[in-house]
Amino acid sequence: MAISNGTGLKTHAATHPVWKRWVRFRGKDGNIYGGEPANPDIDVGQAIEQNIDVSVKVVAGNSALNYNAPFTGETQIIDELLSPISQIEAGTVRCVGLNYKEHAAEMKLAIPNTPTVFLKASTCIASASEPIILPPNVDYDEADYEVELAVVIGKQCKNISVSEAADYILGYSVANDVTARKHQDRTSQWSYAKGMDGFCPLGPCIVSSELVPDAAVLNLKTSLNGKIMQNGSADDMIFNIPEIVSYLSQGHTLLPGTVIITGTPCGIGISQDPPRFLQPGDQLRISISHGLGTQICQIARD
């Protein structure tokens, strides 16, 4: 697609951003920046936990959604990690439940014929390194973790085919679909139980779809206080990423910044024997391979 560059000349829109991995953060000067970690191999979440300085090559503006934004030549050190997509940019989070075969088996549920879709409010989105705060209306025996692959839409789309879906994916991130199980069981609608403030930690980064052309290669993992609870592969998905994006676009406009979370592998807390729910003081580590990185969140109560 040709666009104006402000001089009357036409240029072609970029098919991928200049960055390969995107982080959004507050610098030591108090300003918000976005850009690419200077070390392409660093796990941003782990580095921040270990108080290692993370140097970032700054991209003009602080939004991942500008495909034509260049590097400024400046570097900044992360002082406070932010979600890679802001709450305002993301809007309502689209969610697909029961999307892993082994997870369906552990829950003793039939494989669905159609994606199960629910929504999370934008206020669920939090950073990958801040505490998950359990509100007073969530009991001590119900808060659960769910590692999920997040898809970030980069270009507006509607009614697209499965074969077209990849053209609209900006990249991939790590998400945690935190869930209050007792609330979930009280109603057929899941948005309340899964939609409380901070119940969708996102990040630490977005990895460009240019680096991950096929999300089926990704490995998803959860550890709780050092014990591995979930360890699954995206190739166990019932509906793959192009199928999900295409399905969600039918009759729905997906705007740039839309976050789609795509289901969790087996091993959630409620499926343990006995069930293992999140408690204050727990350390939760959620990670996805191929550079998506690690969320490290303490559990606390409001």
Side-chain angles (χ1 to χ4, degrees):
M1 179 181 68
I3 59 173
S4 172
N5 64 6
T7 65
L9 299 175
K10 298 290 184 179
T11 60
H12 287 282
T15 57
H16 295 282
V18 66
W19 51 268
K20 300 299 185 289
R21 286 201 303 160
W22 171 269
V23 290
R24 193 174 68 95
F25 63 98
R26 195 178 306 278
K28 295 185 180 295
D29 60 3
N31 294 320
I32 294 176
Y33 296 95
E36 180 177 84
N39 179 348
D41 300 317
I42 196 168
D43 185 314
V44 174
Q46 291 185 14
I48 289 173
E49 180 200 30
Q50 297 165 16
N51 294 315
I52 297 171
D53 282 350
V54 179
S55 179
V56 178
K57 298 183 293 182
V58 173
V59 172
N62 57 26
S63 173
L65 303 176
N66 186 347
Y67 277 60
N68 294 288
F71 288 113
T72 65
E74 178 185 12
T75 60
Q76 289 282 344
I77 301 296
I78 295 177
D79 188 55
E80 177 189 0
L81 183 67
L82 305 175
S83 59
I85 295 289
S86 71
Q87 293 179 353
I88 292 174
E89 289 176 317
T92 303
V93 180
R94 272 73 166 178
C95 314
V96 176
L98 200 65
N99 192 38
Y100 281 73
K101 301 180 188 74
E102 290 185 0
H103 175 51
E106 76 174 340
M107 302 303 291
K108 299 178 173 59
L109 296 170
I111 300 293
N113 296 318
T114 303
T116 300
V117 179
F118 61 95
L119 305 175
K120 280 180 176 273
S122 62
T123 46
C124 291
I125 293 176
S127 89
S129 60
E130 64 185 281
I132 296 171
I133 308 296
L134 305 179
N137 64 324
V138 172
D139 291 339
Y140 279 78
D141 57 347
E142 68 168 317
D144 208 345
Y145 54 83
E146 293 188 9
V147 60
E148 304 209 5
L149 174 62
V151 179
V152 181
I153 297 297
K155 301 172 184 177
Q156 182 172 318
C157 59
K158 183 178 180 180
N159 298 331
I160 61 172
S161 67
V162 172
S163 63
E164 295 171 319
D167 296 336
Y168 297 91
I169 297 173
L170 174 69
Y172 301 99
S173 193
V174 184
N176 182 4
D177 181 18
V178 184
T179 305
R181 295 296 182 197
K182 287 184 180 180
H183 287 283
Q184 185 181 25
D185 289 344
R186 290 176 187 144
T187 173
S188 63
Q189 305 300 309
W190 297 351
S191 295
Y192 186 84
K194 291 172 171 281
M196 299 182 196
D197 290 357
F199 271 27
C200 188
L202 189 67
C205 64
I206 299 170
V207 171
S208 170
S209 59
E210 189 176 15
L211 291 186
V212 186
D214 181 5
V217 302
L218 297 173
N219 176 260
L220 297 79
K221 187 177 293 184
T222 295
S223 72
L224 184 60
N225 299 330
K227 180 182 178 182
I228 300 297
M229 310 298 282
Q230 294 181 281
N231 188 4
S233 174
D235 66 5
D236 188 49
M237 283 186 178
I238 297 165
F239 305 100
N240 65 31
I241 298 304
E243 289 169 338
I244 289 170
V245 173
S246 173
Y247 180 80
L248 291 176
S249 78
Q250 301 308 308
H252 296 71
T253 299
L254 303 181
L255 297 172
T258 296
V259 173
I260 302 167
I261 62 175
T262 57
T264 195
C266 66
I268 57 174
I270 198 171
S271 71
Q272 305 296 318
D273 186 16
R276 177 59 168 94
F277 298 109
L278 299 174
Q279 302 296 328
D282 281 347
Q283 186 181 80
L284 187 64
R285 302 172 73 92
I286 284 181
S287 63
I288 301 182
S289 65
H290 290 69
L292 276 67
T294 307
Q295 294 185 5
I296 303 173
C297 299
Q298 297 284 337
I299 309 302
R301 292 201 72 89
D302 197 348

